[in-house]
Amino acid sequence: MKYSHSSNTDQPNIEQRRESPTGIQQLIKKVDRYGSPADLELINRAYEFAKQAHQGQKRRSGEDYIIHPVAVADILADLELDAATVASALLHDVVEDTEVTEEQLTAAFGTEIRDLVDGVTKLGRLKYLSKEEQQAENLRKMFLAMSKDIRVILIKLADRLHNMRTLKHLPPEKQQRIATETLEIFAPLAHRLGISKIKFELEDIALRYMNPQQYYRIVNLMAKKRQEREQYIQDVIETIKGKLQEIEVTAEVYGRAKHIYSIYRKMTNQNKQFNEIYDLLAVRIIVDSIKDCYAILGIVHTLWKPMPGRFKDYIAMPKQNMYQSLHTTVIGPRGEPLEIQIRTWEMHRTAEYGIAAHWLYKEGKPAQDMSFVQKMGWFREILEWQQDLKDAQEFMETLKIDLFSDEVFVFTPKGAVISLPKGSVPIDFAYRIHTDIGNRTIGSKVNGKIVPLDYKLQTGDIVEILTSKSSFGPSRDWLNIVKSPQAKSKIRTWFKKETREENILKGRELLEREVKKNGLEVSEVLTEKNLSDVMVKFNFTKEDDLLASVGYGAVSPIQVMTRLLEKIRKEQPEEAPVTEFREGNRQQRKGSAGVRVRGVDNMLIRFSRCCNPVPGDEIVGFVTRGRGVSVHRVDCPNVKANDEEEEKRFLEVEWESSPAISYHVDIEVTALDRPRITIDVMNAVAETKTNIGAVQARGDKRKIATISLQITIRNVDHLHTVVERIKRVKDVYTVRRIMQ
């Protein structure tokens, strides 16, 4: 029998890791263990080429630059990747950071290595309006390169890992930015690819720079009781070994420490203190066959009582990143929870090295293994939905959700297992089965009972989708319900294809409305030249494509308007300041009242305070004694004529075509009297870029809050926009315009 026990069960301090690589000789030794003489010759050539190209270059640490590519290659050699990948790691910066051209690289090493190097070339020369756009574009290109050859991301992850190991040489603000990006994007990518060896180290180093106080506190607390925990685990291992001897099963048994970031996350998410976390250590048992896995599980459950709800069978239902293992938590010898993991050697290799353990080029096989392709299905889905997202912020948020989300495992009526992001609804399930099923969905059953389409699916649910051929297709509201980016992408695609003409018209209408809200002329802003410049920004070739994308929600009208305003500001000189003053209940430019009396010039006009008319309202004029013409809304109760004499004093008035005036309007909001309701309403108004002149709020015994607001608007369309936005605030009952 074969047993082993790791005496150092605590996570090693990352500070103690060597920053410099072990050198080219150590790299050659690693590759020699699994490669051929031709592989070694290629790696030696790549090293000499890179060393010559980077001659004289230094890193921030003051070391020769060649140390970095050798370290990246060394990380990949630990994963036993093919020689082309290791050689590409040695060469990954030569085109970007030296005088070497792509043609020279191709001539020296061929197209395969040239393409790999091109896939990981830094994109620092590209300029974007924001760091988020730059990050999004870099990731888009990285995914595109991955679609051609998945080894690109393996080199990228190794590159990021060595940069994280040497992060202390950068300024603090860069340390924070790089650590945050690593935790949000690269660690989850390593997780999705199943490479726990890289994922854990990336997370721990990122935590050390993002929250050093908590990081070192956990390290010190782990060190204090290290000896006691090691003895405890040793006793558990000896007990398990005794039982395994009885059934003559060959296994390796050892203790495994929880890595620092996972402890930090548990303390944060579950609001626990360090001494309340008992599963700092786990026991891992590695055997030769799946049959042995389940046999040992039974033995463990006879030794210690299993905790209800803590058994997970990832062998029968593997994770999306190919991870397989049995996890069970038992009440250990000291009455504390103890996690035990049981897996085969093949599962263990996959758990440590992920996709690298399944790499097909290594054995000279074409990458056509269907099981391998199916395991990478999540990546194909990212490629599909990312093409539909033009907005950098939405792309980044959607990517983080997709990479970070936990999973739920649900079943089809025939027993097939479907993995979905946690929080998914039946619509997500329908689109995962087939696009047409999703488009024709009219209802759903879970565990034999009808449930609403926004029901949150739970692991173990049996889901049945109800469809109809006469369905009108997906609803736009589904975009706010579904969780998976794949479902959102397919819903957008339906609206994009099925209602293109309608989307074009709607897109133009939304843009025109946005232009008017900004007090500008549609004919002057939405010109062919202005729109063509915006099309370039959003990567469209036709105006109709831009309008359609606004219509079906891929690009918001505010985003387009922001681009248009930037262009207008650059091209037009600033106007001379205009003297403004208030008269009655309006703010206006001198010499313009915004309303004219038909057939009469130079009349003194004022707006009544009782009904506060704004452009778009039907209005009427009333001749007052000594104060000119008072303008009212036609539905104002104060404009009723009491006799013939008063009736003669009414005049026909009309709004000017584009009055450059702002108006005060009083609105009243009723809502549930809860904390922050007034702040939420005011924030909603602020989101429409509308000024608030006054606010008053009061509550009553019925728990009803009444919020009175005086806002400054341009016209009735602007008012409608504000009202509709307030109506979307949670717990708001009514919004109405009031008269004094």
Side-chain angles (χ1 to χ4, degrees):
M1 296 183 66
K2 176 186 176 185
Y3 297 99
S4 73
H5 168 54
S6 172
S7 60
N8 183 12
T9 56
D10 278 324
Q11 182 80 7
N13 190 338
I14 297 171
E15 288 278 19
Q16 296 171 357
R17 297 184 191 274
R18 283 180 293 180
E19 290 182 3
S20 60
T22 52
I24 187 62
Q25 294 305 320
Q26 184 64 29
L27 173 62
I28 292 294
K29 284 181 182 178
K30 287 184 180 181
V31 178
D32 188 37
R33 286 199 294 266
Y34 65 88
S36 66
D39 293 340
L40 302 181
E41 189 275 332
L42 173 62
I43 291 169
N44 268 314
R45 277 200 303 121
Y47 170 73
E48 293 299 333
F49 189 97
K51 185 179 179 182
Q52 182 64 35
H54 291 295
Q55 188 71 38
Q57 292 182 344
K58 300 285 186 182
R59 302 198 81 217
R60 286 290 186 97
S61 61
E63 298 170 309
D64 290 338
Y65 193 89
I66 190 63
I67 281 179
H68 171 64
V70 171
V72 174
D74 191 71
I75 292 167
L76 296 174
D78 284 335
L79 301 178
E80 296 188 6
L81 284 167
D82 60 304
T85 308
V86 176
S88 299
L90 289 167
L91 299 163
H92 77 274
D93 277 338
V94 294
V95 174
E96 174 70 19
D97 294 337
T98 76
E99 300 298 320
V100 173
T101 65
E102 287 189 12
E103 291 74 18
Q104 290 173 321
L105 191 64
T106 306
F109 296 98
T111 56
E112 181 186 7
I113 288 178
R114 188 273 318 276
D115 290 342
L116 284 170
V117 171
D118 182 59
V120 292
T121 295
K122 295 181 178 68
L123 301 169
R125 300 178 198 156
L126 299 174
K127 293 190 180 296
Y128 301 93
L129 293 174
S130 69
K131 287 184 178 179
E132 195 159 49
E133 276 196 350
Q134 182 172 359
Q135 187 185 41
E137 188 62 22
N138 288 353
L139 288 168
R140 285 183 199 272
K141 294 202 173 186
M142 184 172 69
F143 286 129
L144 187 60
M146 284 169 63
S147 68
K148 298 175 183 176
D149 195 328
I150 199 71
R151 290 175 293 180
V152 167
I153 190 57
L154 301 179
I155 300 172
K156 194 77 176 177
L157 285 172
D159 175 61
R160 176 54 62 112
L161 178 55
H162 183 249
N163 284 335
M164 290 296 289
R165 288 176 179 175
T166 58
L167 200 58
K168 71 178 184 182
H169 300 294
L170 295 181
E173 61 275 9
K174 281 194 174 182
Q175 291 175 349
Q176 285 280 332
R177 177 176 59 78
I178 293 171
T180 301
E181 183 185 63
T182 297
L183 202 57
E184 291 183 347
I185 302 297
F186 288 95
L189 265 177
H191 171 69
R192 272 306 188 95
L193 293 169
I195 313 173
S196 59
K197 191 171 185 178
I198 289 179
K199 174 198 176 237
F200 293 154
E201 189 175 348
L202 286 175
E203 288 179 336
D204 284 354
I205 301 175
L207 177 63
R208 178 152 62 91
Y209 287 98
M210 293 177 68
N211 196 336
Q213 184 177 359
Q214 279 287 58
Y215 172 85
Y216 287 112
R217 176 172 173 264
I218 293 170
V219 169
N220 292 332
L221 288 170
M222 288 178 73
K224 283 181 181 178
K225 294 189 176 182
R226 176 173 164 181
Q227 188 173 355
E228 180 184 338
R229 285 197 305 271
E230 283 190 356
Q231 184 59 52
Y232 172 54
I233 289 296
Q234 184 62 47
D235 292 342
V236 170
I237 290 171
E238 292 301 324
T239 303
I240 293 173
K241 285 198 297 186
K243 284 292 182 180
L244 291 182
Q245 285 175 340
E246 295 177 12
I247 61 172
E248 298 183 352
V249 172
T250 301
E252 180 171 342
V253 187
Y254 61 92
R256 180 195 65 86
K258 222 174 185 56
H259 72 292
I260 298 166
Y261 179 73
S262 67
I263 297 171
Y264 166 77
R265 191 170 57 184
K266 196 164 191 175
M267 291 170 64
T268 305
N269 294 347
Q270 299 181 16
N271 196 26
K272 289 186 175 182
Q273 295 298 316
F274 182 83
N275 57 9
E276 296 177 294
I277 299 175
Y278 299 106
D279 55 342
L280 295 173
L281 297 176
V283 172
R284 184 172 288 158
I285 306 171
I286 306 177
V287 294
D288 294 328
S289 68
I290 293 177
K291 178 185 71 175
D292 290 341
C293 290
Y294 289 99
I296 292 174
L297 176 68
I299 290 173
V300 168
H301 284 177
T302 60
L303 287 171
W304 301 289
K305 186 176 181 180
M307 292 181 65
R310 295 293 296 272
F311 169 64
K312 296 176 182 176
D313 188 345
Y314 293 120
I315 294 179
M317 293 188 293
K319 292 186 177 183
Q320 280 191 325
N321 63 3
M322 302 173 283
Y323 178 87
Q324 288 184 287
S325 188
L326 295 177
H327 288 199
T328 185
T329 302
V330 298
I331 302 299
R334 297 181 182 177
E336 297 176 353
L338 172 68
E339 184 182 38
I340 297 177
Q341 300 174 357
I342 309 167
R343 62 178 65 153
T344 67
W345 286 102
E346 182 182 353
M347 294 172 191
H348 179 64
R349 179 171 172 78
T350 300
E352 292 293 302
Y353 302 130
I355 191 176
H358 292 259
W359 189 244
L360 302 179
Y361 283 84
K362 191 162 48 183
E363 300 172 9
K365 299 177 185 177
Q368 294 177 346
D369 183 341
M370 287 310 296
S371 65
F372 178 83
V373 173
Q374 289 169 0
K375 287 170 182 174
M376 290 304 296
W378 66 270
F379 171 64
R380 293 199 318 278
E381 289 164 352
I382 285 181
L383 287 175
E384 288 173 7
W385 61 253
Q386 68 95 17
Q387 294 171 4
D388 291 331
L389 296 179
K390 302 293 182 181
D391 176 27
Q393 184 175 355
E394 186 177 4
F395 170 77
M396 292 304 299
E397 288 304 315
T398 306
L399 179 64
K400 291 171 190 176
I401 290 170
D402 193 63
L403 292 178
F404 260 130
S405 61
D406 293 328
E407 297 171 282
V408 293
F409 297 94
V410 296
F411 297 89
T412 67
K414 293 184 178 180
V417 180
I418 302 295
S419 171
L420 293 167
K422 190 174 183 180
S424 291
V425 298
I427 303 170
D428 293 286
F429 176 88
Y431 278 105
R432 180 61 61 86
I433 299 298
H434 197 280
T435 302
D436 287 342
I437 291 176
N439 290 338
R440 297 203 306 268
T441 295
I442 59 170
S444 63
K445 286 183 178 180
V446 174
N447 303 325
K449 296 180 180 179
I450 297 287
V451 297
L453 289 176
D454 61 354
Y455 168 82
K456 296 288 191 297
L457 296 174
Q458 306 295 321
T459 293
D461 283 344
I462 300 172
V463 187
E464 181 183 350
I465 299 298
L466 308 177
T467 62
S468 171
K469 290 184 179 180
S470 58
S471 166
F472 290 106
S475 163
R476 289 185 185 275
D477 292 335
W478 289 6
L479 290 169
N480 299 321
I481 297 173
V482 296
K483 179 71 172 179
S484 64
Q486 299 80 19
K488 287 187 179 182
S489 174
K490 289 172 180 177
I491 293 168
R492 287 193 184 99
T493 299
W494 188 90
F495 283 111
K496 184 177 180 180
K497 291 180 180 177
E498 299 296 323
T499 57
R500 179 172 170 79
E501 292 302 320
E502 179 186 332
N503 285 329
I504 292 172
L505 292 173
K506 184 174 181 181
R508 183 171 288 281
E509 179 188 339
L510 290 171
L511 282 181
E512 289 179 353
R513 189 181 301 170
E514 195 64 33
V515 171
K516 290 175 182 177
K517 280 200 298 185
N518 282 272
L520 300 171
E521 282 290 338
V522 171
S523 59
E524 294 176 1
V525 176
L526 298 184
T527 63
E528 184 177 341
K529 184 177 185 305
N530 286 348
L531 288 176
S532 65
D533 289 342
V534 174
M535 283 156 48
V536 172
K537 294 283 187 183
F538 289 99
N539 299 317
F540 291 109
T541 55
K542 296 180 181 178
E543 182 178 315
D544 282 355
D545 292 339
L546 172 63
L547 296 175
S549 69
V550 174
Y552 67 78
V555 178
S556 76
I558 294 176
Q559 290 174 291
V560 177
M561 193 64 219
T562 300
R563 304 288 189 193
L564 289 168
L565 289 173
E566 287 172 358
K567 177 177 171 55
I568 291 169
R569 290 191 190 103
K570 287 179 182 177
E571 293 181 351
Q572 293 183 355
E574 292 186 6
E575 294 182 2
V578 178
T579 304
E580 297 185 343
F581 68 97
R582 293 181 182 274
E583 181 181 337
N585 193 44
R586 73 190 188 281
Q587 183 178 340
Q588 65 178 42
R589 291 185 184 181
K590 194 169 184 178
S592 173
V595 170
R596 62 170 177 266
V597 179
R598 290 183 184 176
V600 182
D601 292 327
N602 299 322
M603 287 285 290
L604 177 62
I605 293 175
R606 69 181 186 86
F607 293 89
S608 68
R609 293 171 181 255
C610 55
C611 58
N612 295 329
V614 297
D617 287 334
E618 290 187 56
I619 52 177
V620 65
F622 184 79
V623 179
T624 63
R625 292 181 175 86
R627 292 193 298 169
V629 176
S630 175
V631 178
H632 295 255
R633 286 160 50 190
V634 294
D635 58 350
C636 178
N638 293 329
V639 296
K640 293 179 181 179
N642 295 318
D643 53 38
E644 279 188 22
E645 188 64 26
E646 280 194 358
E647 193 168 346
K648 292 177 183 178
R649 292 164 63 182
F650 285 105
L651 298 174
E652 289 187 8
V653 293
E654 60 187 8
W655 295 104
E656 292 181 345
S657 57
S658 57
I661 304 173
S662 54
Y663 303 80
H664 294 316
V665 171
D666 295 299
I667 58 176
E668 184 181 86
V669 180
T670 61
L672 175 67
D673 190 5
R674 62 166 172 82
R676 291 185 58 84
I677 183 62
T678 304
I679 294 173
D680 289 350
V681 170
M682 293 176 68
N683 286 339
V685 176
E687 285 176 14
T688 65
K689 298 181 179 178
T690 303
N691 289 331
I692 300 175
V695 61
Q696 185 178 17
R698 62 188 182 279
D700 60 24
K701 295 179 181 178
R702 299 171 301 161
K703 288 288 183 181
I704 302 295
T706 302
I707 305 166
S708 301
L709 298 164
Q710 185 185 81
I711 58 175
T712 305
I713 54 100
R714 295 179 295 277
N715 51 43
V716 75
D717 286 340
H718 184 183
L719 176 61
H720 288 162
T721 299
V722 176
V723 170
E724 289 304 314
R725 178 63 190 87
I726 295 174
K727 284 181 178 178
R728 297 206 301 269
V729 174
K730 183 181 178 183
D731 298 325
V732 165
Y733 300 145
T734 63
V735 184
R736 69 184 185 95
R737 183 174 171 185
I738 59 176
M739 300 184 188
Q740 294 181 347

